[in-house]
């Protein structure tokens, strides 16, 4: 209420200042003409009194210009029409001159005021068009609802020069004030405002100041709607005055743009959700297919071998029993690797992977890896080449052993019997590089970029079992250490997989513990 009274007082003060300025201008002009205007004809003097009329029409409006015309006519009669210094007229023909003067002044003031209004409207429309263009351009670059609404509230508030509040339906279809313009954040929080906003949302029509619905409320509520539905409501504060028709049309245009942008963001979010759902379904299907296939084979082997040992103990020789036990062990190791990879992928995806930091001896780590793959090397030869002295580097030894077991297992799986597998470890500068080279089927050029993706298996892996998880887990573990992993074709035949890990600071950086040997 106080703000309304303040606005009324300000307008009243501006009006008084305009009339006072018009009066002062006519008085000053009369003084100048009375002093130096005697040589001029009365017609010329009357024309000079049109200047205050034009000035008032251009700068202050139509009513002050009419006041200037009346004041100028009275001053002309008092100072220049006989009898002088009197408002009486000796020659009645001057009454016709006064009427013509007033008609010319009124016509001139009307044309000047109309021209001023047209210029003002043109500037407003230009500003409105620029505001709409700026808002549409900004909205195309925003992909999140909250940021979009804040941007709309700020832009609309700057354009119409009023407080803004935006309402959107919540999770239970209850309307909530979601965004507002900078400044008085209390606008639009009252119960009455919420009731009007809810009515606008339900009916899709404007309400509030200047409309046929609750026209006395100090605010205009505009629906944010498209042809299909209403997405929300934008409220504009309008204390003490009714917004013009152009401003209401502008707010409707803003509402349409905002609704279109909200619809675009919601459709984008729904598309992302659908894509994530489809991807999750694809991964779930691939996981079930891979795991069921990978588990069925070793389980069948273990069950068959164990059944043979139980039921045909007298049939098998000690060598046969040893072979069956070895088959059971190989099947169990295969299942253990699968479960380990699955658990590793779960930890990577959930962010639960925690590194147990320590200093790693490359030679000891390679020895542990060779012991784990010893059971299924077959007739392949593994050549280990470690730089002297063996590099020490920081890392989680257990996880890095899992990385190398997966890489070496792949090299064994895709290499023919009798081939060589070379494991090389060397330090160059601030990096320790561990490479595994085989003479297997190799990687096709089309598969090289995707070989580390989950559940992806290369085009040359047909006929060989696998889940497509091993290299994906290797990549996650290596990157968690701050390193890189790459796969490339060898110059002769096969594949070269290289793991690069930070060598670390030999001065033992903070947070790392180095195992010192007792002397």
């Amino acid at each position: 209420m106080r703000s309304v009274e303040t606005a009324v007082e300000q307008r009243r003060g501006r009006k008084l200042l305009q009339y006072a300025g018009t009066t002062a201008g006519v008085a000053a002009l009369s003084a100048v003409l009375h002093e130096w205007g005697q040589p001029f004809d009365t017609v010329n003097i009357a024309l000079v009194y049109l200047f205050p009329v034009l000035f008032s029409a251009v700068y202050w409006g139509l009513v002050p210009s009419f006041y200037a015309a009346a004041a100028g006519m009275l001053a002309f009669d008092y100072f220049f029409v006989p009898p002088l210094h009197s408002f009486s007229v000796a020659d009645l023909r001057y009454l016709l001159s006064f009427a013509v003067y007033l008609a010319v002044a009124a016509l001139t003031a009307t044309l000047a005021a109309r021209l001023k209004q047209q210029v003002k409207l043109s500037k407003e429309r230009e500003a409105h068009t620029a505001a709409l263009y700026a808002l549409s351009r900004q909205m195309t670059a925003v992909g999140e609802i909250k940021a979009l609404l804040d941007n709309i509230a700020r832009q609309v508030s700057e354009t119409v020069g009023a407080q803004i509040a935006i309402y959107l339906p919540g999770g239970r279809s209850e309307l909530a004030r979601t965004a507002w313009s900078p400044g008085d954040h209390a606008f639009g929080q009252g119960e009455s405002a919420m009731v009007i906003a809810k009515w606008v949302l339900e009916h899709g029509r404007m309400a509030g100041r200047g409309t046929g619905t609750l026209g006395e409320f100090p605010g205009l509520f505009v629906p944010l709607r498209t042809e299909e539905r209403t997405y929300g409501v934008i409220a504009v504060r309008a204390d003490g005055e009714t917004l013009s028709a152009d401003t209401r049309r502008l707010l409707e245009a803003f509402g349409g743009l905002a609704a279109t942008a909200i619809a675009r963001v919601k459709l984008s979010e729904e598309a992302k959700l659908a894509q994530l759902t489809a991807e999750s379904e694809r991964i779930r299907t691939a996981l079930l297919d891979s795991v069921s296939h990978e588990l069925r084979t070793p389980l069948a082997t273990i069950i068959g071998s164990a059944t043979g040992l139980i039921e045909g103990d007298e049939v098998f020789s000690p060598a046969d029993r040893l072979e069956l036990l070895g088959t059971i062990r190989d099947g169990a190791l295969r299942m253990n690797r699968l479960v380990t990879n699955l658990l590793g992928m779960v930890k990577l995806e959930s962010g639960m992977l925690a590194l147990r930091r320590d200093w790693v001896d490359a030679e000891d780590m390679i020895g542990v890896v060779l012991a784990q793959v010893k059971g299924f090397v077959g007739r392949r030869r593994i050549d280990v080449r470690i730089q002297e002295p063996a590099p020490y580097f920081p890392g989680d030894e257990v996880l890095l052993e899992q990385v190398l077991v997966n890489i070496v297992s792949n090299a064994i799986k895709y290499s023919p019997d009798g081939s060589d597998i070379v494991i090389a470890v060397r330090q160059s500068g601030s990096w320790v590089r561990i490479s595994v080279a085989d003479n297997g089927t190799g990687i096709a050029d089309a598969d090289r970029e995707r070989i580390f993706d989950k559940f992806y298996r290369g085009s040359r892996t047909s006929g060989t079992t696998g889940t497509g998880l091993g290299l994906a887990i290797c990549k996650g573990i290596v990157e968690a250490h701050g390193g890189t992993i790459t796969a490339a074709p060898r110059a002769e035949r096969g594949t070269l997989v290289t793991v690069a890990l930070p060598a670390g600071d030999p001065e033992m950086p903070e947070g790392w513990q180095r195992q010192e040997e007792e002397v």
Side-chain angles (χ1 to χ4, degrees), residues 41-63:
D41 293 336
T42 55
V43 175
N44 295 329
I45 293 174
L47 292 176
V48 173
Y49 273 104
L50 291 175
F51 283 109
V53 177
L54 292 174
F55 182 87
S56 300
V58 171
Y59 290 99
W60 292 331
L62 192 60
V63 175

Side-chain angles (χ1 to χ4, degrees), residues 42-113:
T42 55
V43 175
N44 295 329
I45 293 174
L47 292 176
V48 173
Y49 273 104
L50 291 175
F51 283 109
V53 177
L54 292 174
F55 182 87
S56 300
V58 171
Y59 290 99
W60 292 331
L62 192 60
V63 175
S65 67
F66 287 164
Y67 173 77
M73 185 194 69
L74 293 175
F76 174 69
D77 181 22
Y78 187 82
F79 289 106
F80 300 102
V81 175
L84 301 178
H85 305 113
S86 173
F87 291 108
S88 61
V89 178
D91 190 349
L92 295 179
R93 291 178 296 178
Y94 276 105
L95 295 178
L96 178 61
S97 299
F98 292 158
V100 172
Y101 169 79
L102 288 176
V104 171
L107 179 61
T108 304
T110 302
L111 292 176

Side-chain angles (χ1 to χ4, degrees), residues 118-194:
Q118 289 178 350
V119 171
K120 180 181 178 182
L121 290 176
S122 298
K123 290 182 178 180
E124 287 181 354
R125 289 170 182 169
E126 181 182 359
H128 292 173
T129 303
L132 288 172
Y133 174 72
L135 182 61
S136 62
R137 183 180 58 186
Q138 293 171 5
M139 288 191 301
T140 56
V142 178
E144 196 265 332
I145 286 288
K146 188 63 172 67
L148 174 66
L149 296 179
D150 290 340
N151 196 8
I152 293 172
R154 184 180 65 254
Q155 185 70 36
V156 176
S157 177
E158 292 175 355
T159 303
V160 301
Q163 290 293 316
I164 300 295
I166 298 178
Y167 304 87
L168 288 185
R172 298 180 180 178
S173 299
E174 296 179 356
L175 205 62
R177 197 179 72 132
T178 310
W180 49 87
S181 56
D184 185 7
H185 295 173
F187 172 65
Q189 285 184 331
E191 184 178 355
S192 56
M194 297 296 294

Side-chain angles (χ1 to χ4, degrees), residues 235-286:
V236 182
R237 191 167 192 165
D239 291 337
E241 60 181 19
T242 301
L243 297 175
S244 65
D246 285 340
T247 302
R248 290 200 297 271
R249 285 193 292 270
L250 175 65
L251 289 172
E252 285 184 316
F254 274 131
L257 276 176
T260 303
I262 293 172
R264 176 184 60 81
V265 173
K266 286 185 176 294
L267 286 175
S268 176
E269 292 177 350
E270 291 174 0
K272 289 180 181 178
L273 180 60
Q275 182 179 2
L276 288 175
T277 303
E279 181 67 15
S280 299
E281 182 65 23
R282 186 190 68 81
I283 291 177
R284 186 182 69 86
T285 303

Side-chain angles (χ1 to χ4, degrees), residues 331-352:
L333 289 175
R334 183 174 174 181
M335 292 177 62
N336 180 66
R337 288 195 302 274
L338 175 61
V339 172
T340 301
N341 284 338
L342 289 174
L343 291 176
M345 182 55 64
V346 169
K347 289 182 178 180
L348 285 173
E349 293 292 332
S350 62
M352 296 173 57

